[in-house]
Amino acid sequence: MHSFTEENYLKTIYHLSQLNDSPVQTNAIAEGMKTRAASVTDMLKKLSDKQLIDYIKYQGVTLTERGKTTAVGVIRKHRLWEVFLVEKLKFKWDEVHDIAEELEHINSGLLVERLDEFLGFPKRDPHGDPIPDKDGIFEPDQNIHLHEMCQGDKGVIIGVNEYTSSFLKHLERLGLTIGIRIEIEEIADYDGSVELLVEGKRINVSREVTQRILVNYK
């Protein structure tokens, strides 16, 4: 049994560890948790004592198998609850992240499995993120970021990697939501902005936005 805060730390460390193969640094964890480095150090000692992480001062943090299992379990619950909120309670995709942050800490394995079954064993959440199965296994991900595509390339928007309400509403205004087919018409040399063809309409998108959109490349 772990506290909400411990689970949030493990989840943050897991997400940061996916960015590269090196141990996660304390400052990165502090930034991800929006807290002070001193507070992070105290928590890391607790997590290390519980054998959830391997922590070497000045070198960084890695999750143990036990810690990884816990983190992936929290992520699984979070993403399943997001699906439930959008599909069954008719929340919008920009409204569910904070609510799911609360629901992800409900500690009932049976509830999670019943929820998964009730939803029809979904593979992705409303933001396109893969949902691990009951064994903690993610489907292989072949997606690329929109800014990695070239002129003339086509694809389908499969996800995003920013969940703020303002960003998701911005995408909705542009018509860039999950499942939309796009084609790269032109990439500006000056600022990297991209002109997209979306359902017959041309849309100009900043490089900053293209770095936050995931595309299933066709």
Side-chain angles (χ1 to χ4, degrees):
M1 190 80 170
H2 310 296
S3 71
F4 290 8
T5 304
E6 288 171 344
E7 289 185 344
N8 285 336
Y9 266 85
L10 293 172
K11 185 175 66 168
T12 296
I13 293 167
Y14 178 85
H15 285 313
L16 291 169
S17 71
Q18 299 304 294
L19 301 177
N20 55 60
D21 294 329
S22 58
V24 178
Q25 299 302 308
T26 303
N27 287 340
I29 299 171
E31 185 177 343
M33 291 295 299
K34 296 180 173 59
T35 189
R36 298 176 297 110
S39 300
V40 172
T41 302
D42 291 341
M43 177 55 72
L44 294 182
K45 187 177 185 309
K46 292 180 184 178
L47 296 176
S48 181
D49 290 342
K50 291 186 175 185
Q51 298 182 332
L52 295 166
I53 64 168
D54 290 319
Y55 171 48
I56 301 176
K57 199 171 183 179
Y58 306 121
Q59 292 187 30
V61 179
T62 55
L63 293 172
T64 62
E65 280 304 312
R66 184 178 168 196
K68 182 180 177 181
T69 298
T70 302
V72 170
V74 175
I75 291 167
R76 171 171 161 78
K77 287 186 284 184
H78 181 103
R79 294 177 179 175
L80 284 172
W81 281 120
E82 286 196 337
V83 174
F84 175 77
L85 290 166
V86 169
E87 290 191 358
K88 305 303 179 182
L89 299 187
K90 306 306 178 187
F91 281 84
K92 294 182 179 180
W93 72 334
D94 60 284
E95 298 174 327
V96 296
H97 184 71
D98 290 345
I99 302 172
E101 288 275 305
E102 301 290 330
L103 293 170
E104 70 186 23
H105 299 294
I106 296 174
N107 188 31
S108 170
L110 180 59
L111 174 61
V112 176
E113 300 320 311
R114 292 280 176 86
L115 179 63
D116 194 17
E117 182 181 8
F118 176 68
L119 295 170
F121 306 102
K123 300 297 185 186
R124 291 185 176 275
D125 72 13
H127 307 112
D129 290 317
I131 300 173
D133 66 17
K134 61 180 180 166
D135 298 316
I137 298 171
F138 293 85
E139 275 197 335
D141 201 343
Q142 302 297 324
N143 306 323
I144 63 173
H145 286 92
L146 178 53
H147 76 92
E148 298 175 280
M149 298 172 70
C150 301
Q151 187 169 330
D153 285 349
K154 299 178 181 179
V156 177
I157 295 177
I158 194 72
V160 296
N161 58 11
E162 182 179 327
Y163 313 111
T164 60
S165 179
S166 59
F167 177 70
L168 296 174
K169 286 178 178 177
H170 180 61
L171 291 188
E172 278 197 345
R173 284 193 294 270
L174 293 172
L176 300 176
T177 51
I178 304 298
I180 292 293
R181 294 185 177 276
I182 62 168
E183 180 177 349
I184 308 294
E185 286 284 287
E186 189 175 345
I187 302 172
D189 292 333
Y190 174 65
D191 60 2
S193 61
V194 176
E195 191 170 272
L196 300 174
L197 187 63
V198 182
E199 297 185 338
K201 293 187 292 187
R202 289 174 177 264
I203 296 173
N204 192 270
V205 181
S206 71
R207 181 172 176 81
E208 186 176 358
V209 168
T210 65
Q211 292 171 331
R212 289 162 170 75
I213 295 176
L214 292 166
V215 178
N216 191 314
Y217 181 69
K218 301 291 185 182

